[in-house]
Amino acid sequence: MAQAAVDQLDEVVAPFDQAVSARESRAKSKTDEALVERAKKGEARQLVMEMILPVQADPSIPDDEVGGMLRERIGMQRLREITSDAWKPLPPEHGRLSELESSYTCLRQFTPNVLAAIDFQGGPGTAELMEAVAVLKEMNRLGGRKVPTGAPSGFVPAKYADYLAKARKSGEGTAYRHYWELCVILCLPARSGWMKTSIWRCRRCRPRTYRPRPRR
């Protein structure tokens, strides 16, 4: 019976791992492509700056002649192209969680069932993550849309914390729910291996922690 439970657990976890990892890989590819394009634009901006700074720093050039001189040297068309796109600072992980959020609906097709089927167990230092898993399970069961006030967030990796902070500060409950839930899924031991030395799936715990549902 115990081995049967372990085998059924693997049947659930393997597709779960693969599906979430595929979405992570897709998000990484998208952000990598965006970084390449950003680097190209950054190089173009840098070349323009190398033309601007010497003129700006030259005390022999009168202030009222600087603008005209730069427009003549650089060209208005090139200046318009450089300034047409807003240059926003990148988040610590280059926007990967934001890109992954576009797959939220797809992930929701199976993650609630996985959480309901598996009793995750945690070791020392994982109390907040395990509490978050319990909160998410209850939200799924009740159909809750907003993360309850006081729900743990200390388990969220530092590189993603700013997403949640900004969503909460701006009152964007849906965005906060998406980012918070994604962090719960990403931090689970069954897949990313984050803190894997102190968290484990129930297959490493007592067999009774996993109770497969009867097949119909």
Side-chain angles (χ1 to χ4, degrees):
M1 180 65 71
Q3 185 58 45
V6 169
D7 292 341
Q8 287 196 6
L9 177 64
D10 284 339
E11 290 178 6
V12 173
V13 170
F16 172 62
D17 283 352
Q18 293 167 7
V20 179
S21 294
R23 290 293 163 173
E24 273 193 294
S25 296
R26 180 179 180 275
K28 182 180 183 301
S29 295
K30 290 287 186 180
T31 52
D32 286 348
E33 291 172 5
L35 285 174
V36 171
E37 290 302 314
R38 183 182 176 90
K40 292 178 181 178
K41 293 179 181 179
E43 184 176 359
R45 284 172 174 263
Q46 181 61 35
L47 291 174
V48 170
M49 287 300 297
E50 289 180 1
M51 299 175 70
I52 292 175
L53 292 177
V55 175
Q56 290 279 19
D58 190 343
S60 67
I61 302 176
D63 291 346
D64 58 355
E65 296 181 12
V66 169
M69 184 178 295
L70 289 174
R71 285 191 291 271
E72 182 179 349
R73 290 186 180 183
I74 300 172
M76 288 302 299
Q77 179 63 29
R78 190 175 181 186
L79 285 171
R80 291 192 185 99
E81 291 174 355
I82 292 295
T83 58
S84 61
D85 294 327
W87 192 259
K88 299 179 180 179
L90 287 173
E93 39 64 82
H94 301 154
R96 193 168 300 174
L97 187 63
S98 178
E99 185 63 43
L100 185 60
E101 195 268 341
S102 65
S103 298
Y104 176 82
T105 301
C106 176
L107 293 172
R108 283 286 301 175
Q109 293 178 13
F110 60 88
T111 53
N113 293 331
V114 173
L115 291 179
I118 300 176
D119 181 15
F120 290 94
Q121 302 293 308
T126 66
E128 283 203 61
L129 176 57
M130 293 299 99
E131 183 182 350
V133 171
V135 170
L136 182 54
K137 283 185 176 183
E138 187 67 5
M139 289 173 63
N140 291 337
R141 187 181 71 83
L142 299 176
R145 294 187 177 184
K146 292 185 177 181
V147 179
T149 302
S153 59
F155 67 92
V156 175
K159 62 182 179 180
Y160 296 146
D162 195 44
Y163 285 94
L164 279 74
K166 288 182 177 179
R168 171 155 285 174
K169 185 177 181 180
S170 60
E172 298 177 9
T174 299
Y176 186 89
R177 159 70 187 266
H178 289 187
Y179 291 138
W180 182 85
E181 183 172 348
L182 286 171
C183 286
V184 173
I185 299 301
L186 293 174
C187 289
L188 283 176
R191 36 161 351 283
S192 66
W194 185 75
M195 292 179 67
K196 63 183 178 181
T197 58
S198 55
I199 310 176
W200 52 91
R201 296 201 300 266
C202 59
R203 67 170 296 175
R204 298 180 183 175
C205 305
R206 291 172 294 179
R208 66 183 180 84
T209 59
Y210 173 74
R211 298 183 178 87
R213 295 180 178 180
R215 295 183 179 180
R216 296 181 179 179

CSV table of all heavy atoms in Angstrom, one decimal, residues 13-48:
chain,number,residue,atom,x,y,z
A,13,VAL,N,3.3,14.1,-9.4
A,13,VAL,CA,4.4,15.1,-9.3
A,13,VAL,C,5.2,15.3,-10.6
A,13,VAL,O,5.5,16.4,-11.0
A,13,VAL,CB,5.4,14.7,-8.2
A,13,VAL,CG1,6.6,15.6,-8.2
A,13,VAL,CG2,4.7,14.9,-6.8
A,14,ALA,N,5.4,14.2,-11.3
A,14,ALA,CA,6.2,14.3,-12.6
A,14,ALA,C,5.6,15.3,-13.6
A,14,ALA,O,6.3,16.2,-14.1
A,14,ALA,CB,6.5,12.9,-13.2
A,15,PRO,N,4.3,15.1,-14.0
A,15,PRO,CA,3.7,16.1,-14.9
A,15,PRO,C,3.7,17.5,-14.3
A,15,PRO,O,3.8,18.5,-15.1
A,15,PRO,CB,2.3,15.5,-15.1
A,15,PRO,CG,2.4,14.1,-14.7
A,15,PRO,CD,3.4,14.0,-13.6
A,16,PHE,N,3.5,17.6,-13.0
A,16,PHE,CA,3.5,18.9,-12.3
A,16,PHE,C,4.8,19.6,-12.5
A,16,PHE,O,4.9,20.8,-12.9
A,16,PHE,CB,3.1,18.7,-10.9
A,16,PHE,CG,3.3,19.9,-10.0
A,16,PHE,CD1,2.5,21.0,-10.2
A,16,PHE,CD2,4.2,19.9,-8.9
A,16,PHE,CE1,2.6,22.2,-9.4
A,16,PHE,CE2,4.3,21.1,-8.1
A,16,PHE,CZ,3.5,22.2,-8.4
A,17,ASP,N,5.9,18.9,-12.2
A,17,ASP,CA,7.2,19.4,-12.4
A,17,ASP,C,7.5,19.9,-13.8
A,17,ASP,O,8.0,20.9,-14.1
A,17,ASP,CB,8.3,18.3,-12.0
A,17,ASP,CG,8.4,18.2,-10.5
A,17,ASP,OD1,7.9,19.0,-9.8
A,17,ASP,OD2,9.2,17.2,-10.1
A,18,GLN,N,7.1,19.0,-14.8
A,18,GLN,CA,7.4,19.3,-16.2
A,18,GLN,C,6.6,20.5,-16.7
A,18,GLN,O,7.1,21.3,-17.4
A,18,GLN,CB,7.0,18.0,-17.0
A,18,GLN,CG,7.9,16.8,-16.7
A,18,GLN,CD,7.4,15.5,-17.3
A,18,GLN,OE1,6.4,15.5,-18.0
A,18,GLN,NE2,8.0,14.4,-17.0
A,19,ALA,N,5.3,20.6,-16.3
A,19,ALA,CA,4.5,21.7,-16.7
A,19,ALA,C,5.0,23.0,-16.2
A,19,ALA,O,5.1,24.0,-17.0
A,19,ALA,CB,3.0,21.4,-16.3
A,20,VAL,N,5.3,23.1,-14.9
A,20,VAL,CA,5.7,24.3,-14.3
A,20,VAL,C,7.1,24.7,-14.9
A,20,VAL,O,7.4,25.9,-15.2
A,20,VAL,CB,5.7,24.3,-12.8
A,20,VAL,CG1,6.2,25.6,-12.2
A,20,VAL,CG2,4.3,24.0,-12.3
A,21,SER,N,8.0,23.7,-15.0
A,21,SER,CA,9.3,24.0,-15.5
A,21,SER,C,9.2,24.5,-17.0
A,21,SER,O,10.0,25.3,-17.4
A,21,SER,CB,10.2,22.7,-15.5
A,21,SER,OG,10.4,22.3,-14.1
A,22,ALA,N,8.3,23.9,-17.7
A,22,ALA,CA,8.1,24.4,-19.1
A,22,ALA,C,7.7,25.8,-19.2
A,22,ALA,O,8.2,26.6,-20.0
A,22,ALA,CB,7.1,23.5,-19.8
A,23,ARG,N,6.9,26.2,-18.3
A,23,ARG,CA,6.4,27.6,-18.2
A,23,ARG,C,7.6,28.5,-17.7
A,23,ARG,O,7.7,29.7,-18.2
A,23,ARG,CB,5.2,27.8,-17.3
A,23,ARG,CG,4.0,27.2,-17.9
A,23,ARG,CD,3.5,27.9,-19.1
A,23,ARG,NE,2.6,27.2,-20.0
A,23,ARG,CZ,1.9,27.7,-21.0
A,23,ARG,NH1,2.2,29.0,-21.4
A,23,ARG,NH2,1.1,27.0,-21.7
A,24,GLU,N,8.4,28.0,-16.8
A,24,GLU,CA,9.5,28.8,-16.3
A,24,GLU,C,10.5,29.0,-17.5
A,24,GLU,O,11.1,30.1,-17.7
A,24,GLU,CB,10.2,28.1,-15.2
A,24,GLU,CG,9.6,28.4,-13.8
A,24,GLU,CD,10.5,27.9,-12.7
A,24,GLU,OE1,10.7,26.6,-12.6
A,24,GLU,OE2,11.1,28.7,-12.0
A,25,SER,N,10.8,27.9,-18.2
A,25,SER,CA,11.7,28.0,-19.4
A,25,SER,C,11.2,29.0,-20.4
A,25,SER,O,12.0,29.7,-21.0
A,25,SER,CB,11.9,26.6,-20.0
A,25,SER,OG,12.5,25.7,-19.1
A,26,ARG,N,9.9,29.0,-20.6
A,26,ARG,CA,9.3,29.9,-21.6
A,26,ARG,C,9.5,31.3,-21.1
A,26,ARG,O,9.9,32.2,-21.9
A,26,ARG,CB,7.8,29.6,-21.8
A,26,ARG,CG,7.1,30.5,-22.8
A,26,ARG,CD,5.6,30.1,-22.9
A,26,ARG,NE,4.9,31.0,-23.8
A,26,ARG,CZ,4.4,32.1,-23.5
A,26,ARG,NH1,4.5,32.6,-22.2
A,26,ARG,NH2,3.8,32.9,-24.4
A,27,ALA,N,9.3,31.6,-19.8
A,27,ALA,CA,9.5,32.9,-19.3
A,27,ALA,C,10.9,33.3,-19.4
A,27,ALA,O,11.2,34.5,-19.7
A,27,ALA,CB,9.0,32.9,-17.8
A,28,LYS,N,11.8,32.4,-19.1
A,28,LYS,CA,13.3,32.7,-19.2
A,28,LYS,C,13.6,33.1,-20.6
A,28,LYS,O,14.4,34.0,-20.9
A,28,LYS,CB,14.1,31.5,-18.7
A,28,LYS,CG,15.6,31.8,-18.8
A,28,LYS,CD,16.4,30.6,-18.3
A,28,LYS,CE,17.9,30.9,-18.2
A,28,LYS,NZ,18.4,31.3,-19.6
A,29,SER,N,13.1,32.3,-21.6
A,29,SER,CA,13.4,32.6,-23.0
A,29,SER,C,12.9,34.0,-23.4
A,29,SER,O,13.6,34.7,-24.1
A,29,SER,CB,12.8,31.5,-23.9
A,29,SER,OG,13.4,30.3,-23.7
A,30,LYS,N,11.7,34.3,-23.0
A,30,LYS,CA,11.1,35.6,-23.3
A,30,LYS,C,12.0,36.7,-22.7
A,30,LYS,O,12.2,37.7,-23.4
A,30,LYS,CB,9.7,35.7,-22.8
A,30,LYS,CG,8.7,34.8,-23.5
A,30,LYS,CD,8.4,35.3,-24.9
A,30,LYS,CE,7.3,34.6,-25.6
A,30,LYS,NZ,7.0,35.1,-27.0
A,31,THR,N,12.3,36.6,-21.4
A,31,THR,CA,13.1,37.7,-20.8
A,31,THR,C,14.5,37.7,-21.4
A,31,THR,O,15.1,38.8,-21.5
A,31,THR,CB,13.2,37.5,-19.3
A,31,THR,OG1,13.7,36.1,-19.0
A,31,THR,CG2,11.8,37.6,-18.6
A,32,ASP,N,15.1,36.6,-21.8
A,32,ASP,CA,16.4,36.6,-22.4
A,32,ASP,C,16.3,37.4,-23.7
A,32,ASP,O,17.3,38.1,-24.1
A,32,ASP,CB,16.9,35.2,-22.6
A,32,ASP,CG,17.4,34.5,-21.3
A,32,ASP,OD1,17.5,35.2,-20.3
A,32,ASP,OD2,17.6,33.3,-21.4
A,33,GLU,N,15.3,37.1,-24.5
A,33,GLU,CA,15.1,37.8,-25.8
A,33,GLU,C,15.0,39.3,-25.5
A,33,GLU,O,15.5,40.1,-26.3
A,33,GLU,CB,13.9,37.3,-26.5
A,33,GLU,CG,14.0,35.9,-27.0
A,33,GLU,CD,12.7,35.3,-27.6
A,33,GLU,OE1,11.7,36.1,-27.6
A,33,GLU,OE2,12.7,34.1,-27.9
A,34,ALA,N,14.2,39.7,-24.5
A,34,ALA,CA,14.0,41.1,-24.2
A,34,ALA,C,15.3,41.7,-23.8
A,34,ALA,O,15.6,42.9,-24.1
A,34,ALA,CB,13.0,41.2,-23.1
A,35,LEU,N,16.2,41.0,-23.1
A,35,LEU,CA,17.5,41.5,-22.6
A,35,LEU,C,18.4,41.8,-23.8
A,35,LEU,O,19.1,42.7,-23.9
A,35,LEU,CB,18.1,40.5,-21.7
A,35,LEU,CG,17.6,40.5,-20.2
A,35,LEU,CD1,18.3,39.4,-19.4
A,35,LEU,CD2,17.8,41.8,-19.5
A,36,VAL,N,18.3,40.9,-24.8
A,36,VAL,CA,19.1,41.1,-26.0
A,36,VAL,C,18.7,42.4,-26.7
A,36,VAL,O,19.6,43.2,-27.2
A,36,VAL,CB,19.0,39.9,-27.0
A,36,VAL,CG1,19.6,40.2,-28.3
A,36,VAL,CG2,19.6,38.6,-26.4
A,37,GLU,N,17.4,42.5,-26.9
A,37,GLU,CA,16.9,43.8,-27.5
A,37,GLU,C,17.3,45.0,-26.7
A,37,GLU,O,17.6,46.0,-27.3
A,37,GLU,CB,15.4,43.7,-27.7
A,37,GLU,CG,14.9,42.7,-28.8
A,37,GLU,CD,15.5,43.0,-30.1
A,37,GLU,OE1,15.5,44.1,-30.6
A,37,GLU,OE2,16.0,42.0,-30.8
A,38,ARG,N,17.2,44.9,-25.4
A,38,ARG,CA,17.5,46.0,-24.5
A,38,ARG,C,19.0,46.3,-24.7
A,38,ARG,O,19.4,47.5,-24.7
A,38,ARG,CB,17.2,45.6,-23.1
A,38,ARG,CG,17.4,46.8,-22.1
A,38,ARG,CD,17.1,46.3,-20.7
A,38,ARG,NE,17.4,47.3,-19.7
A,38,ARG,CZ,16.6,48.2,-19.2
A,38,ARG,NH1,15.4,48.3,-19.7
A,38,ARG,NH2,17.0,49.1,-18.3
A,39,ALA,N,19.8,45.3,-24.8
A,39,ALA,CA,21.3,45.5,-25.0
A,39,ALA,C,21.6,46.3,-26.3
A,39,ALA,O,22.4,47.2,-26.3
A,39,ALA,CB,22.0,44.2,-24.9
A,40,LYS,N,20.8,45.9,-27.3
A,40,LYS,CA,21.0,46.6,-28.6
A,40,LYS,C,20.7,48.1,-28.5
A,40,LYS,O,21.4,49.0,-29.0
A,40,LYS,CB,20.2,45.9,-29.7
A,40,LYS,CG,20.6,44.5,-30.1
A,40,LYS,CD,19.7,43.9,-31.1
A,40,LYS,CE,20.1,42.5,-31.5
A,40,LYS,NZ,19.2,41.9,-32.4
A,41,LYS,N,19.5,48.3,-27.8
A,41,LYS,CA,19.1,49.7,-27.7
A,41,LYS,C,20.0,50.5,-26.7
A,41,LYS,O,20.3,51.7,-26.9
A,41,LYS,CB,17.7,49.8,-27.1
A,41,LYS,CG,16.6,49.2,-28.1
A,41,LYS,CD,15.2,49.3,-27.5
A,41,LYS,CE,14.2,48.7,-28.4
A,41,LYS,NZ,12.8,48.7,-27.8
A,42,GLY,N,20.5,49.8,-25.7
A,42,GLY,CA,21.4,50.4,-24.8
A,42,GLY,C,22.7,50.8,-25.4
A,42,GLY,O,23.3,51.8,-25.1
A,43,GLU,N,23.2,50.0,-26.4
A,43,GLU,CA,24.4,50.3,-27.1
A,43,GLU,C,24.2,51.6,-28.0
A,43,GLU,O,25.1,52.4,-28.0
A,43,GLU,CB,24.9,49.1,-28.0
A,43,GLU,CG,26.2,49.4,-28.7
A,43,GLU,CD,26.6,48.2,-29.5
A,43,GLU,OE1,25.9,47.1,-29.4
A,43,GLU,OE2,27.7,48.2,-30.1
A,44,ALA,N,23.0,51.6,-28.6
A,44,ALA,CA,22.7,52.8,-29.4
A,44,ALA,C,22.7,54.1,-28.5
A,44,ALA,O,23.2,55.1,-28.9
A,44,ALA,CB,21.4,52.6,-30.1
A,45,ARG,N,22.1,53.9,-27.4
A,45,ARG,CA,22.0,55.1,-26.4
A,45,ARG,C,23.4,55.5,-26.0
A,45,ARG,O,23.7,56.7,-25.8
A,45,ARG,CB,21.2,54.7,-25.2
A,45,ARG,CG,19.7,54.7,-25.5
A,45,ARG,CD,18.9,54.2,-24.3
A,45,ARG,NE,17.5,54.3,-24.6
A,45,ARG,CZ,16.7,55.3,-24.1
A,45,ARG,NH1,17.3,56.3,-23.4
A,45,ARG,NH2,15.4,55.4,-24.3
A,46,GLN,N,24.3,54.5,-25.7
A,46,GLN,CA,25.6,54.8,-25.3
A,46,GLN,C,26.4,55.5,-26.3
A,46,GLN,O,27.2,56.5,-26.0
A,46,GLN,CB,26.3,53.5,-24.9
A,46,GLN,CG,27.7,53.6,-24.4
A,46,GLN,CD,27.8,54.4,-23.1
A,46,GLN,OE1,26.9,54.3,-22.2
A,46,GLN,NE2,28.8,55.2,-22.9
A,47,LEU,N,26.2,55.1,-27.6
A,47,LEU,CA,27.0,55.8,-28.6
A,47,LEU,C,26.5,57.3,-28.7
A,47,LEU,O,27.4,58.2,-29.0
A,47,LEU,CB,26.7,55.1,-30.0
A,47,LEU,CG,27.3,53.7,-30.1
A,47,LEU,CD1,26.9,53.0,-31.4
A,47,LEU,CD2,28.9,53.8,-30.1
A,48,VAL,N,25.2,57.5,-28.5
A,48,VAL,CA,24.7,58.9,-28.6
A,48,VAL,C,25.3,59.7,-27.4
A,48,VAL,O,25.7,60.9,-27.5
A,48,VAL,CB,23.2,58.9,-28.6
A,48,VAL,CG1,22.7,60.3,-28.4
A,48,VAL,CG2,22.7,58.4,-29.9
